[in-house]
Amino acid sequence: MGPTEPARASEAVEIRGGVLLPARRRDVDLRTSDGLRLVGELSLPQDRPAVGTLVTLHPLPTAGGFMDSHVIRKAAARLPALADLAVLRFNFRGVSSPRGRSEGEFGEGIAEAADLAAAVRFVHDEGLPTPWLVGWSFGTEVALKHGRQVESAGLVLLSPPLHRTSDDELEAWNDVETPIVAVVPEFDDYLRPDEAARRFSVIPRADVVPVEGGKHLWVGEKQTTRVLSEIVRRAAPHALPLPARWA
């Protein structure tokens, strides 16, 4: 079986790399309030309703981030089957991928407020469970800056750099009760666990999860599995531990 071929029911497949587990997948378009078309993909459990939804927010476009950034792609490839989760991934404005190019131009994390709102509105229109916002790097900045303006089940922040998020914006999260989890690599290039604990201390309920040996890009199957497990721990805890093989 090739690295991106769907797993067949008759095979026991090791879940790693680009393995694609069964799901109902379709290309989708999101429409923003300022008139842009964003391209994306919705992945659903194959034969049962979703117990939760993930709206995934990709890393920095100017550094190569897009809807196929590996953690986001693997969440869509695995979690509908392993955890009964719906996964929406899409390109922020001005971003291209094999799926296509989203209209508009990079908005420095400001204009992307409309992109986030369009994604959450799409989830609502599809009748899916209220989504968890799962941001990675730049995606965490979008979630923290604008997530209070949309309905969400909670925030899972992977490798949050907190470059574009001020302390005032963090403190504003005390006005709501939305769960916030920051998954912080030990060897992050931008924000390591001790500093993350200090920055997030302005939100007493924020859960900072340090990951021993982790790096900003979460390269390697061990780190990928840890990150996906932290997401599932919040959005679909019944599915833990995630299996290593698919029969």
Side-chain angles (χ1 to χ4, degrees):
M1 186 182 72
T4 59
E5 294 177 20
R8 292 186 291 272
S10 61
E11 298 177 336
V13 177
E14 186 177 6
I15 301 171
R16 62 181 298 112
V19 68
L20 189 66
L21 299 181
R24 290 177 287 145
R25 297 184 173 90
R26 76 176 198 267
D27 292 341
V28 299
D29 291 341
L30 310 180
R31 298 287 176 175
T32 68
S33 59
D34 54 349
L36 300 182
R37 169 182 170 268
L38 311 179
V39 300
E41 178 197 77
L42 178 65
S43 301
L44 300 169
Q46 187 172 47
D47 55 6
R48 52 196 177 273
V51 302
T53 308
L54 309 179
V55 166
T56 59
L57 308 171
H58 64 68
L60 187 65
T62 55
F66 62 156
M67 63 180 278
D68 289 332
S69 293
H70 82 98
V71 169
I72 290 173
R73 175 174 48 82
K74 290 169 184 173
R78 303 180 190 183
L79 298 186
L82 298 182
D84 299 334
L85 290 171
V87 181
L88 175 64
R89 59 192 181 113
F90 66 97
N91 287 329
F92 283 125
R93 58 185 57 213
V95 177
S96 298
S97 73
R99 166 68 180 89
R101 183 182 185 277
S102 290
E103 295 174 348
E105 302 298 334
F106 176 55
E108 298 288 346
I110 305 301
E112 284 79 6
D115 302 356
L116 172 59
V120 174
R121 184 168 59 251
F122 174 86
V123 167
H124 180 269
D125 291 347
E126 289 287 310
L128 293 169
T130 300
W132 285 80
L133 307 183
V134 179
W136 179 11
S137 193
F138 171 76
T140 69
E141 309 276 31
V142 175
L144 285 168
K145 291 176 79 68
H146 310 298
R148 289 185 300 111
Q149 282 71 56
V150 299
E151 184 181 10
S152 71
L155 276 57
V156 179
L157 310 172
L158 310 177
S159 307
L162 296 185
H163 283 171
R164 291 175 168 83
T165 306
S166 68
D167 286 344
D168 287 344
E169 287 174 321
L170 289 175
E171 289 181 5
W173 281 94
N174 289 313
D175 296 339
V176 297
E177 297 181 355
T178 310
I180 298 175
V181 180
V183 185
V184 183
E186 179 183 9
F187 301 117
D188 195 279
D189 298 316
Y190 306 106
L191 187 75
R192 296 190 174 185
D194 286 349
E195 178 63 10
R198 187 190 69 79
R199 290 288 308 274
F200 279 104
S201 67
V202 300
I203 315 171
R205 72 178 183 284
D207 183 11
V208 176
V209 180
V211 176
E212 183 177 357
K215 297 183 179 180
H216 190 76
L217 297 180
W218 304 108
V219 174
E221 188 57 39
K222 181 179 179 180
Q223 291 192 31
T224 297
T225 299
R226 174 64 187 276
V227 167
L228 295 183
S229 295
E230 292 298 338
I231 295 169
V232 171
R233 193 180 313 280
R234 276 73 190 183
H238 71 277
L240 292 177
L242 294 177
R245 300 184 69 82
W246 175 265

